[in-house]
Amino acid sequence: LKSNPSNNEEKEAQTQLMKSDELQRLHSQALSAYQQEDYEAAISLLDEILAVCVWDAELRELRAECYIKEGEPSKAISDLKAAAKLKNDNTEAFYKISRIYYQLGDHELSLSEVRECLKLDQDHKQCFSLYKQVKKLNKQIESAEEFIREGRYEDAISKYESVMKTEPEVPIYSTRAKERICHCLSKNQQPTEAIKLCTEVLQLEPTNVNALKDRAEAYLLEDMYEE
């Protein structure tokens, strides 16, 4: 206004000020909703602000937190990835992305994201601890799959049993391990054990196609054609 005190400029300035006040008001409401654990309301308010303040890393991180609490991890990842690009040396975002992928059972993507964190800060305690865990798990799964390709089913079973010991807290890894062990048992002509284990997997995931196929193979070995 000082540089160009015309009527038009004044109107424009007033409009921008009102917009700014409105965004600040929405921001306060969003924070308040987040603190009261009303994550759905917080997301909806943050959506409005981010439509204008597209490049605000902090707001994206806050919305990601809300998505995590609401059980929408893929949306959280998308916000955190944006925040990692918008803010320099954002180790926290990479750490969170890696953790989400890990919880979802995507150990390979988890490993790649945690490496990004360590590239920025090799002494980052949380990232280093997660990196060691994911790397160990990743290596065990890779080597189990290699044994399966070579037809070394006993070795693969033993390796997948190690996977379950390495990560007993995140259920998806145990379920995947059991699914692969059932496959090995079926291929290794051990139908009784295969049927038992595949049934366990199918109680958790009734539409697991691999477990259904492997159990079918095991039933064939037992001449249980109806099943």
Coordinates of all heavy atoms in Angstrom, one line a residue, residues 117-190:
C117 N 17.2 -41.2 5.2 CA 17.4 -40.6 6.4 C 18.8 -40.6 6.9 O 19.4 -39.6 7.3 CB 16.5 -41.2 7.5 SG 16.8 -40.6 9.2
L118 N 19.5 -41.7 6.7 CA 20.9 -41.9 7.1 C 21.8 -41.1 6.2 O 22.9 -40.8 6.6 CB 21.3 -43.4 7.2 CG 20.6 -44.1 8.4 CD1 20.8 -45.6 8.3 CD2 21.1 -43.6 9.8
K119 N 21.4 -40.9 5.0 CA 22.3 -40.1 4.1 C 22.3 -38.7 4.6 O 23.3 -38.0 4.5 CB 21.6 -40.1 2.7 CG 22.0 -41.2 1.8 CD 21.5 -41.0 0.4 CE 21.3 -42.3 -0.3 NZ 20.5 -42.2 -1.6
L120 N 21.2 -38.2 5.2 CA 21.2 -36.8 5.7 C 21.9 -36.8 7.1 O 22.5 -35.7 7.4 CB 19.7 -36.4 5.9 CG 18.9 -36.2 4.6 CD1 17.5 -36.0 5.0 CD2 19.5 -35.1 3.8
D121 N 21.8 -37.8 7.9 CA 22.4 -37.8 9.2 C 22.7 -39.3 9.6 O 21.9 -40.0 10.1 CB 21.4 -37.2 10.2 CG 22.0 -37.2 11.7 OD1 23.1 -37.7 11.8 OD2 21.2 -36.8 12.6
Q122 N 24.0 -39.6 9.4 CA 24.4 -41.0 9.7 C 24.4 -41.4 11.2 O 24.4 -42.6 11.5 CB 25.8 -41.3 9.1 CG 26.9 -40.5 9.6 CD 28.2 -40.6 8.8 OE1 28.1 -40.9 7.6 NE2 29.3 -40.5 9.4
D123 N 24.3 -40.4 12.0 CA 24.2 -40.6 13.5 C 22.8 -40.6 14.1 O 22.6 -40.6 15.3 CB 25.1 -39.6 14.3 CG 26.5 -39.8 13.8 OD1 27.0 -40.9 13.6 OD2 27.2 -38.7 13.7
H124 N 21.8 -40.5 13.2 CA 20.4 -40.4 13.6 C 20.0 -41.8 14.3 O 20.0 -42.8 13.7 CB 19.5 -40.2 12.4 CG 18.1 -39.8 12.7 ND1 17.2 -40.7 13.3 CD2 17.4 -38.6 12.6 CE1 16.0 -40.0 13.5 NE2 16.2 -38.8 13.1
K125 N 19.8 -41.7 15.6 CA 19.6 -42.9 16.4 C 18.4 -43.7 16.0 O 18.5 -44.9 15.8 CB 19.5 -42.5 17.9 CG 20.8 -42.3 18.6 CD 20.6 -42.2 20.1 CE 22.0 -41.9 20.8 NZ 21.8 -41.2 22.1
Q126 N 17.3 -43.1 15.9 CA 16.1 -43.8 15.5 C 16.2 -44.5 14.1 O 15.9 -45.6 13.9 CB 14.9 -42.9 15.5 CG 14.4 -42.5 16.9 CD 13.2 -41.5 16.8 OE1 13.4 -40.4 16.1 NE2 12.1 -41.8 17.4
C127 N 16.7 -43.7 13.2 CA 16.9 -44.2 11.8 C 17.9 -45.4 11.8 O 17.7 -46.4 11.1 CB 17.3 -43.2 10.8 SG 15.9 -42.1 10.4
F128 N 19.0 -45.3 12.5 CA 20.0 -46.3 12.5 C 19.4 -47.6 13.1 O 19.6 -48.7 12.6 CB 21.2 -45.9 13.3 CG 22.4 -46.9 13.1 CD1 22.9 -47.1 11.9 CD2 22.8 -47.6 14.2 CE1 23.9 -48.0 11.7 CE2 23.8 -48.5 14.0 CZ 24.4 -48.8 12.8
S129 N 18.7 -47.5 14.2 CA 18.1 -48.6 14.9 C 17.1 -49.3 13.9 O 17.1 -50.6 13.8 CB 17.4 -48.2 16.2 OG 16.5 -49.1 16.6
L130 N 16.2 -48.5 13.3 CA 15.3 -49.1 12.3 C 16.0 -49.7 11.2 O 15.6 -50.8 10.7 CB 14.3 -48.0 11.8 CG 13.2 -48.4 10.9 CD1 12.3 -49.4 11.5 CD2 12.4 -47.2 10.4
Y131 N 17.0 -49.1 10.7 CA 17.8 -49.6 9.5 C 18.4 -51.0 9.8 O 18.2 -51.9 9.0 CB 19.0 -48.6 9.2 CG 20.0 -49.1 8.2 CD1 19.6 -49.3 6.9 CD2 21.2 -49.5 8.6 CE1 20.5 -49.7 5.9 CE2 22.2 -50.0 7.7 CZ 21.8 -50.1 6.4 OH 22.7 -50.6 5.4
K132 N 18.9 -51.1 11.0 CA 19.5 -52.5 11.4 C 18.4 -53.5 11.4 O 18.6 -54.6 10.9 CB 20.1 -52.4 12.8 CG 21.5 -51.7 12.7 CD 22.3 -52.0 14.0 CE 21.6 -51.6 15.3 NZ 22.4 -51.7 16.5
Q133 N 17.2 -53.2 11.9 CA 16.1 -54.1 12.0 C 15.6 -54.5 10.6 O 15.5 -55.7 10.3 CB 15.0 -53.5 12.8 CG 13.7 -54.3 12.9 CD 13.8 -55.6 13.7 OE1 14.8 -55.9 14.3 NE2 12.7 -56.4 13.8
V134 N 15.4 -53.5 9.8 CA 14.8 -53.8 8.4 C 15.8 -54.5 7.6 O 15.5 -55.4 6.8 CB 14.4 -52.4 7.7 CG1 13.7 -52.7 6.4 CG2 13.5 -51.6 8.6
K135 N 17.1 -54.1 7.7 CA 18.1 -54.7 6.9 C 18.2 -56.2 7.2 O 18.3 -57.1 6.3 CB 19.5 -54.1 7.1 CG 20.5 -54.4 6.1 CD 21.8 -53.8 6.3 CE 22.8 -54.2 5.3 NZ 24.2 -54.0 5.7
K136 N 18.2 -56.6 8.5 CA 18.3 -58.0 8.9 C 17.1 -58.8 8.4 O 17.2 -59.8 7.8 CB 18.3 -58.0 10.4 CG 18.4 -59.4 11.0 CD 18.4 -59.4 12.5 CE 18.5 -60.8 13.1 NZ 18.4 -60.9 14.5
L137 N 15.9 -58.2 8.5 CA 14.6 -58.8 8.1 C 14.7 -59.0 6.6 O 14.4 -60.1 6.0 CB 13.4 -58.0 8.5 CG 12.1 -58.7 8.4 CD1 11.9 -59.7 9.4 CD2 10.9 -57.7 8.4
N138 N 15.0 -58.0 5.9 CA 15.1 -58.0 4.4 C 16.0 -59.1 3.9 O 15.7 -59.8 3.0 CB 15.6 -56.6 3.9 CG 15.3 -56.3 2.5 OD1 14.1 -56.5 2.1 ND2 16.2 -55.9 1.7
K139 N 17.2 -59.2 4.6 CA 18.2 -60.2 4.2 C 17.6 -61.6 4.4 O 17.8 -62.5 3.5 CB 19.4 -60.0 5.0 CG 20.7 -60.6 4.4 CD 22.0 -60.1 5.1 CE 23.1 -60.9 4.4 NZ 24.2 -61.0 5.3
Q140 N 17.0 -61.8 5.5 CA 16.4 -63.2 5.8 C 15.3 -63.5 4.7 O 15.3 -64.7 4.2 CB 15.8 -63.2 7.2 CG 16.8 -63.2 8.3 CD 16.2 -63.1 9.7 OE1 15.1 -62.5 9.8 NE2 16.9 -63.5 10.7
I141 N 14.5 -62.6 4.4 CA 13.4 -62.9 3.4 C 14.0 -63.1 2.0 O 13.6 -64.1 1.3 CB 12.4 -61.7 3.4 CG1 11.6 -61.6 4.7 CG2 11.4 -61.9 2.2 CD1 10.7 -60.4 4.9
E142 N 15.0 -62.3 1.7 CA 15.6 -62.5 0.3 C 16.3 -63.9 0.3 O 16.2 -64.6 -0.7 CB 16.7 -61.4 0.1 CG 16.1 -60.1 -0.4 CD 17.2 -59.0 -0.6 OE1 18.4 -59.3 -0.3 OE2 16.8 -58.0 -1.1
S143 N 17.0 -64.3 1.4 CA 17.7 -65.5 1.3 C 16.7 -66.7 1.3 O 16.9 -67.7 0.7 CB 18.8 -65.6 2.4 OG 18.4 -66.4 3.4
A144 N 15.6 -66.6 2.1 CA 14.5 -67.6 2.0 C 13.9 -67.8 0.6 O 13.8 -68.9 0.2 CB 13.4 -67.2 3.0
E145 N 13.7 -66.7 0.0 CA 13.1 -66.7 -1.4 C 14.2 -67.4 -2.4 O 13.8 -68.1 -3.3 CB 12.7 -65.3 -1.9 CG 11.5 -64.8 -1.2 CD 10.3 -65.7 -1.4 OE1 10.0 -66.1 -2.6 OE2 9.6 -66.0 -0.4
E146 N 15.4 -67.1 -2.1 CA 16.5 -67.7 -3.0 C 16.5 -69.2 -2.8 O 16.6 -70.0 -3.7 CB 17.9 -67.1 -2.5 CG 19.0 -67.5 -3.4 CD 18.9 -67.2 -4.9 OE1 18.3 -66.1 -5.2 OE2 19.4 -68.0 -5.7
F147 N 16.3 -69.7 -1.5 CA 16.3 -71.1 -1.2 C 15.1 -71.7 -2.0 O 15.2 -72.9 -2.5 CB 16.1 -71.4 0.3 CG 17.4 -71.2 1.0 CD1 17.4 -70.6 2.3 CD2 18.7 -71.5 0.5 CE1 18.6 -70.4 3.1 CE2 19.8 -71.3 1.2 CZ 19.8 -70.7 2.5
I148 N 13.9 -71.0 -2.0 CA 12.7 -71.6 -2.6 C 13.0 -71.7 -4.1 O 12.7 -72.7 -4.7 CB 11.5 -70.7 -2.4 CG1 11.1 -70.8 -0.9 CG2 10.3 -71.0 -3.3 CD1 10.0 -69.8 -0.5
R149 N 13.6 -70.7 -4.7 CA 14.0 -70.8 -6.2 C 14.9 -72.0 -6.5 O 14.8 -72.6 -7.5 CB 14.6 -69.5 -6.6 CG 13.6 -68.3 -6.8 CD 14.2 -67.1 -7.6 NE 15.2 -66.4 -6.8 CZ 14.9 -65.5 -5.9 NH1 13.6 -65.2 -5.7 NH2 15.8 -64.8 -5.2
E150 N 15.7 -72.3 -5.5 CA 16.7 -73.4 -5.7 C 16.1 -74.8 -5.3 O 16.7 -75.8 -5.4 CB 18.0 -73.2 -4.9 CG 18.8 -72.0 -5.4 CD 19.9 -71.6 -4.4 OE1 20.0 -72.3 -3.3 OE2 20.6 -70.6 -4.6
G151 N 14.8 -74.7 -4.8 CA 14.2 -76.0 -4.4 C 14.7 -76.5 -3.1 O 14.5 -77.7 -2.7
R152 N 15.4 -75.6 -2.3 CA 15.9 -76.0 -1.0 C 14.8 -75.7 0.1 O 15.0 -74.7 0.8 CB 17.2 -75.3 -0.7 CG 18.3 -75.8 -1.6 CD 19.5 -74.9 -1.6 NE 20.1 -74.8 -0.2 CZ 21.1 -74.0 0.1 NH1 21.6 -73.1 -0.9 NH2 21.6 -73.9 1.3
Y153 N 13.8 -76.5 0.2 CA 12.6 -76.1 0.9 C 12.9 -76.1 2.4 O 12.4 -75.3 3.2 CB 11.4 -77.0 0.6 CG 11.0 -76.8 -0.9 CD1 11.1 -77.8 -1.8 CD2 10.6 -75.5 -1.4 CE1 10.8 -77.6 -3.2 CE2 10.3 -75.3 -2.7 CZ 10.4 -76.4 -3.6 OH 10.1 -76.2 -4.9
E154 N 13.6 -77.1 2.9 CA 13.9 -77.2 4.4 C 14.7 -75.9 4.8 O 14.3 -75.4 5.9 CB 14.8 -78.4 4.7 CG 14.2 -79.8 4.5 CD 13.1 -80.1 5.5 OE1 13.1 -79.5 6.6 OE2 12.2 -81.0 5.2
D155 N 15.6 -75.5 4.0 CA 16.4 -74.3 4.3 C 15.5 -73.1 4.4 O 15.6 -72.2 5.2 CB 17.6 -74.1 3.4 CG 18.6 -75.2 3.5 OD1 18.8 -75.7 4.6 OD2 19.3 -75.5 2.5
A156 N 14.6 -73.0 3.4 CA 13.7 -71.9 3.3 C 12.8 -71.8 4.5 O 12.5 -70.8 5.1 CB 12.9 -72.0 2.0
I157 N 12.3 -73.0 4.9 CA 11.4 -73.1 6.1 C 12.1 -72.5 7.3 O 11.6 -71.7 8.1 CB 10.9 -74.5 6.3 CG1 9.9 -74.9 5.3 CG2 10.3 -74.6 7.7 CD1 9.5 -76.4 5.2
S158 N 13.4 -73.0 7.5 CA 14.2 -72.6 8.6 C 14.4 -71.0 8.6 O 14.3 -70.4 9.6 CB 15.5 -73.4 8.6 OG 16.5 -72.6 9.2
K159 N 14.6 -70.5 7.4 CA 14.9 -69.1 7.3 C 13.6 -68.3 7.6 O 13.7 -67.2 8.2 CB 15.4 -68.8 5.8 CG 16.1 -67.5 5.6 CD 17.2 -67.2 6.6 CE 18.5 -67.7 6.1 NZ 19.6 -67.3 7.0
Y160 N 12.5 -68.8 7.1 CA 11.2 -68.1 7.4 C 10.8 -68.2 8.9 O 10.2 -67.3 9.4 CB 10.1 -68.5 6.5 CG 9.9 -67.7 5.3 CD1 10.1 -68.2 4.0 CD2 9.7 -66.3 5.4 CE1 10.0 -67.4 2.9 CE2 9.6 -65.5 4.3 CZ 9.8 -66.0 3.0 OH 9.7 -65.2 1.9
E161 N 11.3 -69.2 9.6 CA 11.1 -69.3 11.0 C 11.9 -68.2 11.7 O 11.5 -67.6 12.7 CB 11.4 -70.7 11.5 CG 10.3 -71.7 11.2 CD 10.7 -73.2 11.4 OE1 11.9 -73.4 11.6 OE2 9.8 -74.0 11.4
S162 N 13.1 -67.9 11.2 CA 13.9 -66.9 11.7 C 13.3 -65.5 11.5 O 13.4 -64.6 12.4 CB 15.3 -66.8 11.0 OG 15.9 -68.1 11.1
V163 N 12.6 -65.3 10.4 CA 11.9 -64.1 10.1 C 10.9 -63.8 11.2 O 10.7 -62.7 11.7 CB 11.2 -64.1 8.7 CG1 10.2 -63.0 8.6 CG2 12.2 -64.1 7.6
M164 N 10.1 -64.9 11.6 CA 9.1 -64.7 12.6 C 9.7 -64.3 14.0 O 9.1 -63.6 14.8 CB 8.2 -66.0 12.8 CG 7.4 -66.2 11.5 SD 6.1 -67.4 11.8 CE 6.9 -68.9 11.4
K165 N 10.9 -64.8 14.2 CA 11.6 -64.5 15.5 C 12.2 -63.1 15.4 O 12.2 -62.3 16.4 CB 12.8 -65.4 15.7 CG 12.4 -66.8 16.1 CD 13.5 -67.7 16.7 CE 13.2 -69.1 16.9 NZ 13.4 -70.0 15.8
T166 N 12.7 -62.6 14.2 CA 13.2 -61.3 14.1 C 12.1 -60.2 14.3 O 12.4 -59.2 14.8 CB 13.8 -61.1 12.7 OG1 14.9 -62.1 12.5 CG2 14.4 -59.8 12.4
E167 N 10.9 -60.5 13.8 CA 9.9 -59.5 13.9 C 8.6 -60.1 14.4 O 7.7 -60.5 13.7 CB 9.6 -58.8 12.5 CG 8.6 -57.7 12.6 CD 8.8 -56.8 13.8 OE1 9.6 -55.8 13.8 OE2 8.1 -57.0 14.9
P168 N 8.5 -60.3 15.8 CA 7.3 -60.9 16.3 C 6.2 -59.9 16.5 O 5.0 -60.3 16.8 CB 7.8 -61.5 17.7 CG 9.0 -60.6 18.0 CD 9.6 -60.1 16.8
E169 N 6.5 -58.6 16.5 CA 5.5 -57.5 16.8 C 4.6 -57.1 15.7 O 3.4 -56.7 16.0 CB 6.3 -56.3 17.3 CG 7.2 -56.5 18.5 CD 6.5 -56.9 19.7 OE1 5.5 -56.3 20.1 OE2 7.0 -57.8 20.4
V170 N 5.0 -57.2 14.5 CA 4.2 -56.8 13.3 C 3.6 -58.0 12.6 O 4.3 -58.8 12.0 CB 5.1 -56.0 12.3 CG1 4.2 -55.4 11.2 CG2 5.8 -54.8 13.0
P171 N 2.3 -58.3 12.9 CA 1.7 -59.5 12.5 C 1.8 -59.9 11.0 O 1.9 -61.1 10.6 CB 0.2 -59.3 12.8 CG 0.1 -58.1 13.7 CD 1.4 -57.3 13.5
I172 N 1.9 -58.9 10.1 CA 1.9 -59.2 8.7 C 3.2 -60.0 8.3 O 3.1 -60.9 7.4 CB 1.9 -57.9 7.8 CG1 1.6 -58.2 6.3 CG2 3.1 -57.0 7.9 CD1 1.1 -57.1 5.5
Y173 N 4.3 -59.9 9.0 CA 5.5 -60.7 8.7 C 5.3 -62.1 9.1 O 5.7 -63.0 8.3 CB 6.7 -60.1 9.3 CG 7.1 -58.7 8.7 CD1 6.9 -57.5 9.5 CD2 7.5 -58.6 7.4 CE1 7.1 -56.3 8.9 CE2 7.7 -57.3 6.9 CZ 7.6 -56.2 7.6 OH 7.8 -54.9 7.1
S174 N 4.7 -62.4 10.2 CA 4.4 -63.8 10.6 C 3.4 -64.4 9.6 O 3.6 -65.6 9.2 CB 3.8 -63.8 12.0 OG 4.7 -63.3 12.9
T175 N 2.4 -63.7 9.2 CA 1.4 -64.3 8.3 C 2.1 -64.6 6.9 O 1.9 -65.7 6.4 CB 0.3 -63.3 8.0 OG1 -0.2 -62.9 9.3 CG2 -0.9 -63.9 7.2
R176 N 2.9 -63.6 6.4 CA 3.6 -63.9 5.1 C 4.6 -65.1 5.3 O 4.7 -65.9 4.4 CB 4.4 -62.7 4.7 CG 3.6 -61.5 4.2 CD 3.0 -61.7 2.8 NE 1.8 -60.9 2.7 CZ 0.6 -61.2 3.1 NH1 0.4 -62.4 3.7 NH2 -0.4 -60.4 3.0
A177 N 5.3 -65.2 6.4 CA 6.2 -66.3 6.6 C 5.5 -67.6 6.6 O 5.9 -68.6 6.0 CB 7.0 -66.1 7.9
K178 N 4.3 -67.6 7.4 CA 3.5 -68.9 7.4 C 3.0 -69.3 6.0 O 3.0 -70.5 5.6 CB 2.3 -68.7 8.4 CG 2.8 -68.8 9.8 CD 1.6 -68.6 10.7 CE 2.0 -68.5 12.2 NZ 0.9 -68.2 13.1
E179 N 2.6 -68.3 5.2 CA 2.1 -68.5 3.9 C 3.3 -69.2 3.0 O 3.0 -70.1 2.3 CB 1.7 -67.2 3.3 CG 1.3 -67.2 1.8 CD 1.3 -65.9 1.2 OE1 0.6 -64.9 1.7 OE2 1.9 -65.7 0.1
R180 N 4.5 -68.6 3.2 CA 5.6 -69.2 2.4 C 6.0 -70.6 2.9 O 6.4 -71.4 2.1 CB 6.8 -68.2 2.4 CG 6.5 -66.9 1.7 CD 6.0 -67.0 0.3 NE 7.0 -67.2 -0.7 CZ 6.8 -67.8 -1.8 NH1 5.6 -68.3 -2.1 NH2 7.8 -67.9 -2.7
I181 N 6.0 -70.8 4.2 CA 6.3 -72.1 4.8 C 5.4 -73.1 4.3 O 5.7 -74.2 3.9 CB 6.4 -72.0 6.3 CG1 7.5 -71.2 6.8 CG2 6.5 -73.4 6.9 CD1 7.6 -70.9 8.3
C182 N 4.1 -72.8 4.3 CA 3.1 -73.7 3.8 C 3.4 -74.1 2.3 O 3.3 -75.3 1.9 CB 1.7 -73.0 3.8 SG 0.5 -73.9 2.8
H183 N 3.8 -73.1 1.5 CA 4.2 -73.3 0.1 C 5.3 -74.4 0.1 O 5.3 -75.3 -0.7 CB 4.6 -72.0 -0.5 CG 5.2 -72.2 -1.9 ND1 4.4 -72.4 -3.0 CD2 6.5 -72.1 -2.4 CE1 5.1 -72.5 -4.1 NE2 6.4 -72.3 -3.7
C184 N 6.3 -74.2 1.0 CA 7.5 -75.1 1.0 C 7.1 -76.5 1.4 O 7.5 -77.5 0.8 CB 8.5 -74.6 2.0 SG 9.3 -73.0 1.5
L185 N 6.2 -76.6 2.4 CA 5.8 -77.9 2.9 C 5.0 -78.6 1.8 O 5.2 -79.8 1.6 CB 4.9 -77.7 4.1 CG 5.6 -77.2 5.4 CD1 4.5 -76.8 6.4 CD2 6.5 -78.3 6.0
S186 N 4.2 -77.9 1.1 CA 3.4 -78.5 0.0 C 4.3 -79.0 -1.1 O 4.2 -80.1 -1.6 CB 2.4 -77.5 -0.5 OG 1.7 -78.0 -1.7
K187 N 5.3 -78.2 -1.5 CA 6.3 -78.6 -2.5 C 7.2 -79.7 -2.0 O 7.7 -80.5 -2.8 CB 7.2 -77.4 -2.9 CG 6.5 -76.3 -3.6 CD 6.3 -76.6 -5.0 CE 5.7 -75.5 -5.8 NZ 5.0 -76.0 -7.0
N188 N 7.4 -79.8 -0.7 CA 8.3 -80.8 -0.1 C 7.6 -82.1 0.2 O 8.1 -82.9 1.0 CB 9.0 -80.2 1.1 CG 10.4 -80.7 1.3 OD1 11.0 -81.1 0.4 ND2 10.8 -80.8 2.6
Q189 N 6.3 -82.2 -0.3 CA 5.6 -83.5 -0.1 C 5.3 -83.7 1.4 O 5.4 -84.8 1.9 CB 6.3 -84.7 -0.6 CG 6.8 -84.6 -2.1 CD 5.7 -84.7 -3.1 OE1 4.9 -85.7 -3.0 NE2 5.6 -83.8 -4.0
Q190 N 4.9 -82.6 2.1 CA 4.5 -82.7 3.5 C 3.1 -82.2 3.7 O 2.9 -81.1 4.3 CB 5.5 -82.0 4.4 CG 6.9 -82.6 4.5 CD 7.9 -81.6 5.2 OE1 8.6 -80.8 4.6 NE2 8.0 -81.7 6.5

